[in-house]
Short mmCIF file of all heavy atoms in Angstrom, two decimals:
data_model
loop_
_atom_site.label_atom_id
_atom_site.label_comp_id
_atom_site.label_asym_id
_atom_site.label_seq_id
_atom_site.Cartn_x
_atom_site.Cartn_y
_atom_site.Cartn_z
N GLU B 818 92.26 94.30 106.66
CA GLU B 818 90.91 94.75 106.28
C GLU B 818 90.09 93.57 105.77
O GLU B 818 88.92 93.41 106.12
CB GLU B 818 90.99 95.77 105.13
CG GLU B 818 91.86 96.95 105.42
CD GLU B 818 91.07 98.18 105.81
OE1 GLU B 818 90.41 98.73 104.91
OE2 GLU B 818 91.10 98.55 106.99
N LYS B 833 89.64 95.96 115.22
CA LYS B 833 90.95 95.91 114.58
C LYS B 833 91.69 97.20 114.88
O LYS B 833 91.11 98.28 114.85
CB LYS B 833 90.70 95.76 113.08
CG LYS B 833 91.85 96.11 112.20
CD LYS B 833 91.43 95.93 110.76
CE LYS B 833 91.95 96.97 109.81
NZ LYS B 833 93.18 97.59 110.00
N MET B 839 105.04 107.04 113.60
CA MET B 839 105.27 107.97 112.50
C MET B 839 104.67 107.51 111.16
O MET B 839 105.33 107.53 110.13
CB MET B 839 106.76 108.21 112.32
CG MET B 839 107.46 108.65 113.58
SD MET B 839 107.65 110.39 113.80
CE MET B 839 109.01 110.79 112.76
N ARG B 842 106.79 104.59 106.49
CA ARG B 842 108.23 104.69 106.25
C ARG B 842 109.07 103.53 106.77
O ARG B 842 110.05 103.73 107.47
CB ARG B 842 108.79 105.99 106.85
CG ARG B 842 107.93 107.22 106.77
CD ARG B 842 107.83 107.78 105.38
NE ARG B 842 106.99 108.97 105.39
CZ ARG B 842 105.72 108.98 105.01
NH1 ARG B 842 105.14 107.87 104.59
NH2 ARG B 842 105.04 110.09 105.04
N GLU B 863 98.66 91.29 126.35
CA GLU B 863 99.89 90.50 126.27
C GLU B 863 99.62 89.05 126.62
O GLU B 863 98.90 88.77 127.57
CB GLU B 863 100.95 91.05 127.23
CG GLU B 863 101.68 92.26 126.74
CD GLU B 863 101.11 93.53 127.36
OE1 GLU B 863 99.90 93.55 127.69
OE2 GLU B 863 101.89 94.50 127.48
N GLU B 865 98.01 86.84 124.97
CA GLU B 865 96.73 86.26 124.54
C GLU B 865 96.59 86.15 123.03
O GLU B 865 95.50 85.98 122.50
CB GLU B 865 95.57 87.09 125.12
CG GLU B 865 95.45 86.94 126.61
CD GLU B 865 94.24 87.63 127.18
OE1 GLU B 865 93.24 87.80 126.45
OE2 GLU B 865 94.29 88.02 128.36
N GLU B 876 110.28 90.68 112.41
CA GLU B 876 109.12 91.29 113.07
C GLU B 876 108.24 90.24 113.74
O GLU B 876 107.61 90.49 114.76
CB GLU B 876 108.31 92.12 112.07
CG GLU B 876 109.02 93.38 111.58
CD GLU B 876 109.70 94.16 112.69
OE1 GLU B 876 109.04 94.48 113.70
OE2 GLU B 876 110.92 94.44 112.57
N TYR B 878 109.35 87.40 114.98
CA TYR B 878 110.13 86.99 116.15
C TYR B 878 109.98 88.02 117.27
O TYR B 878 109.79 87.69 118.44
CB TYR B 878 111.58 86.88 115.70
CG TYR B 878 112.52 86.22 116.67
CD1 TYR B 878 112.11 85.21 117.53
CD2 TYR B 878 113.86 86.60 116.69
CE1 TYR B 878 113.01 84.61 118.40
CE2 TYR B 878 114.76 86.00 117.55
CZ TYR B 878 114.33 85.01 118.41
OH TYR B 878 115.22 84.43 119.27
N ALA B 903 121.25 97.07 107.76
CA ALA B 903 121.61 97.53 106.41
C ALA B 903 122.93 98.30 106.45
O ALA B 903 123.72 98.27 105.52
CB ALA B 903 120.50 98.39 105.83
N LYS B 916 114.20 79.11 115.15
CA LYS B 916 113.96 79.55 116.53
C LYS B 916 112.47 79.60 116.84
O LYS B 916 112.03 79.24 117.94
CB LYS B 916 114.57 80.93 116.76
CG LYS B 916 116.08 80.87 116.94
CD LYS B 916 116.65 82.26 117.01
CE LYS B 916 118.16 82.21 117.06
NZ LYS B 916 118.75 83.48 116.60
N HIS J 395 102.65 108.13 119.27
CA HIS J 395 103.00 107.31 118.12
C HIS J 395 103.52 108.19 117.00
O HIS J 395 104.35 107.79 116.20
CB HIS J 395 101.77 106.55 117.61
CG HIS J 395 101.24 105.56 118.59
ND1 HIS J 395 101.81 104.34 118.78
CD2 HIS J 395 100.20 105.62 119.46
CE1 HIS J 395 101.15 103.67 119.72
NE2 HIS J 395 100.17 104.44 120.16
N LYS J 453 89.21 99.86 113.95
CA LYS J 453 87.97 99.64 113.21
C LYS J 453 87.06 98.76 114.02
O LYS J 453 87.51 97.82 114.67
CB LYS J 453 88.28 98.95 111.88
CG LYS J 453 89.07 99.83 110.93
CD LYS J 453 88.84 99.44 109.49
CE LYS J 453 89.30 100.55 108.58
NZ LYS J 453 88.91 100.35 107.20
N GLY J 598 96.78 95.02 128.94
CA GLY J 598 97.99 94.52 129.59
C GLY J 598 98.51 95.48 130.65
O GLY J 598 98.82 95.09 131.77
N ARG J 601 96.25 95.50 133.70
CA ARG J 601 96.46 94.31 134.54
C ARG J 601 97.69 94.46 135.38
O ARG J 601 97.70 94.14 136.56
CB ARG J 601 96.62 93.09 133.65
CG ARG J 601 95.30 92.55 133.28
CD ARG J 601 95.37 91.15 132.72
NE ARG J 601 94.06 90.93 132.16
CZ ARG J 601 93.81 90.42 130.99
NH1 ARG J 601 94.80 89.99 130.25
NH2 ARG J 601 92.58 90.30 130.57
N ILE J 614 112.10 85.22 124.31
CA ILE J 614 113.25 85.63 123.49
C ILE J 614 114.36 86.19 124.37
O ILE J 614 114.13 87.09 125.15
CB ILE J 614 112.84 86.70 122.47
CG1 ILE J 614 111.77 86.13 121.55
CG2 ILE J 614 114.03 87.15 121.65
CD1 ILE J 614 111.29 87.12 120.52
N GLU J 616 117.46 87.01 122.95
CA GLU J 616 118.27 87.88 122.10
C GLU J 616 117.83 89.33 122.16
O GLU J 616 116.67 89.62 122.36
CB GLU J 616 118.07 87.45 120.65
CG GLU J 616 119.14 86.62 120.06
CD GLU J 616 118.72 86.16 118.68
OE1 GLU J 616 117.82 85.29 118.59
OE2 GLU J 616 119.27 86.67 117.70
N ARG J 621 113.47 98.52 114.58
CA ARG J 621 113.13 98.91 113.21
C ARG J 621 112.38 100.23 113.25
O ARG J 621 111.15 100.27 113.19
CB ARG J 621 112.31 97.82 112.54
CG ARG J 621 112.18 98.01 111.03
CD ARG J 621 111.23 97.01 110.42
NE ARG J 621 111.62 95.63 110.58
CZ ARG J 621 112.44 94.97 109.77
NH1 ARG J 621 112.96 95.57 108.72
NH2 ARG J 621 112.74 93.71 109.99
N ASN J 624 111.96 105.34 108.64
CA ASN J 624 113.10 105.92 107.93
C ASN J 624 112.52 106.69 106.74
O ASN J 624 111.44 106.37 106.27
CB ASN J 624 113.95 104.75 107.43
CG ASN J 624 115.30 105.19 106.90
OD1 ASN J 624 115.52 106.37 106.62
ND2 ASN J 624 116.20 104.24 106.73
N GLY J 729 104.04 115.58 103.38
CA GLY J 729 104.42 114.17 103.27
C GLY J 729 104.07 113.32 104.49
O GLY J 729 103.50 112.24 104.38
N TRP J 836 124.35 96.66 103.28
CA TRP J 836 125.72 96.16 103.37
C TRP J 836 125.70 94.64 103.43
O TRP J 836 124.95 94.05 104.20
CB TRP J 836 126.39 96.72 104.63
CG TRP J 836 127.79 96.24 104.76
CD1 TRP J 836 128.27 95.32 105.64
CD2 TRP J 836 128.89 96.63 103.95
NE1 TRP J 836 129.60 95.13 105.43
CE2 TRP J 836 130.02 95.91 104.38
CE3 TRP J 836 129.04 97.53 102.88
CZ2 TRP J 836 131.27 96.05 103.80
CZ3 TRP J 836 130.29 97.67 102.30
CH2 TRP J 836 131.40 96.94 102.75
#
Side-chain angles (χ1 to χ4, degrees):
Chain B
E818 305 259 288
K833 161 181 142 32
M839 307 265 281
R842 323 288 180 259
E863 281 100 331
E865 291 186 26
E876 292 315 308
Y878 191 32
K916 282 174 185 158
Chain J
H395 295 282
K453 293 206 164 190
R601 276 195 192 134
I614 300 179
E616 259 174 288
R621 192 187 298 274
N624 191 344
W836 180 253

